[in-house]
Amino acid sequence: MSTISVLGTGLMGSAVASTLIDAGHTVTVWNRSADKSAPLVAKGARRADTVAEAINASDITFSHVLSSAMGFDLVRAAEGEIDWNGKVFVNLSTGTPDGALAFGGYLTSRGGGYADGVISAYPDDIGTNTAIVQ
C-alpha cells in the first residue's frame, strides 16, 4: 500500500483521508487547526504538526486546502524542509491554469512531481462509484 498525506481535513479532505485509511493505506494528515484532524487520527491516521512533516512522510500528497494559491504558499513557506525527490503533489484545490503551471514548475524544479486535479462529487460520495477524481 502507498503512503499518502492529506493537507486540509475539511469536508472533502476528511472524506478522501477516511477512504484511504479504509483501503489500508498509511495516511498522514495536516490541518492548520489540528483538532479538525482528531477523528481521522482516531481512525488510524498519523497527524503531522507541519506541512513539511506531512509531505516528507509520504510518497503522494493530496492538497484540499482553501485554494491552490494557499497550497502553493504553504509549500513555499516550507522551502528547504521538504525532500521532493520521488514525491508527487496532487492539488485538488481550486485554482487557475497559470497558478497550476507556476506550482508545477516550482515542484519539478525541486525534483518533485505535480498533478492538478478535480473532484466531481460530494464528500459523502468519495469512495463510491459515483465519485469522479480526475
Side-chain angles (χ1 to χ4, degrees), residues 8 15 20 37 41 43 46 50 53 55 64 67 72 83 96 100 112 123:
L20 292 168
S37 300
V41 172
K43 190 171 183 173
R46 181 179 165 271
T50 66
E53 182 184 347
I55 294 170
H64 300 273
S67 68
F72 196 6
D83 176 9
T96 65

Side-chain angles (χ1 to χ4, degrees), residues 20 28 42 48 52 64 69 81 83 87 91 106 117-118 123 128 132:
L20 292 168
T28 299
H64 300 273
E81 298 175 42
D83 176 9
K87 296 191 181 306
N91 176 45
Y106 176 88
V118 176
T128 71
I132 298 172

Side-chain angles (χ1 to χ4, degrees), residues 99-123:
L101 290 171
F103 202 167
Y106 176 88
L107 293 179
T108 57
S109 73
R110 284 151 179 80
Y114 177 84
D116 205 66
V118 176
I119 297 176
S120 298
Y122 293 105

Side-chain angles (χ1 to χ4, degrees), residues 5-113:
S5 288
V6 175
L7 306 181
T9 57
L11 291 174
M12 191 59 75
S14 290
V16 168
S18 182
T19 300
L20 292 168
I21 293 165
D22 290 346
H25 297 284
T26 300
V27 178
T28 299
V29 294
W30 174 87
N31 197 78
R32 60 187 168 166
S33 302
D35 58 320
K36 283 192 103 174
S37 300
L40 294 166
V41 172
K43 190 171 183 173
R46 181 179 165 271
R47 185 179 66 81
D49 292 325
T50 66
V51 169
E53 182 184 347
I55 294 170
N56 284 326
S58 299
D59 301 319
I60 302 166
T61 297
F62 292 118
S63 179
H64 300 273
V65 297
L66 184 61
S67 68
S68 177
M70 178 186 277
F72 196 6
D73 288 346
L74 289 167
V75 166
R76 284 186 296 203
E79 176 74 35
E81 298 175 42
I82 301 168
D83 176 9
W84 287 106
N85 188 31
K87 296 191 181 306
V88 176
F89 190 95
V90 181
N91 176 45
L92 294 169
S93 302
T94 302
T96 65
D98 287 341
L101 290 171
F103 202 167
Y106 176 88
L107 293 179
T108 57
S109 73
R110 284 151 179 80

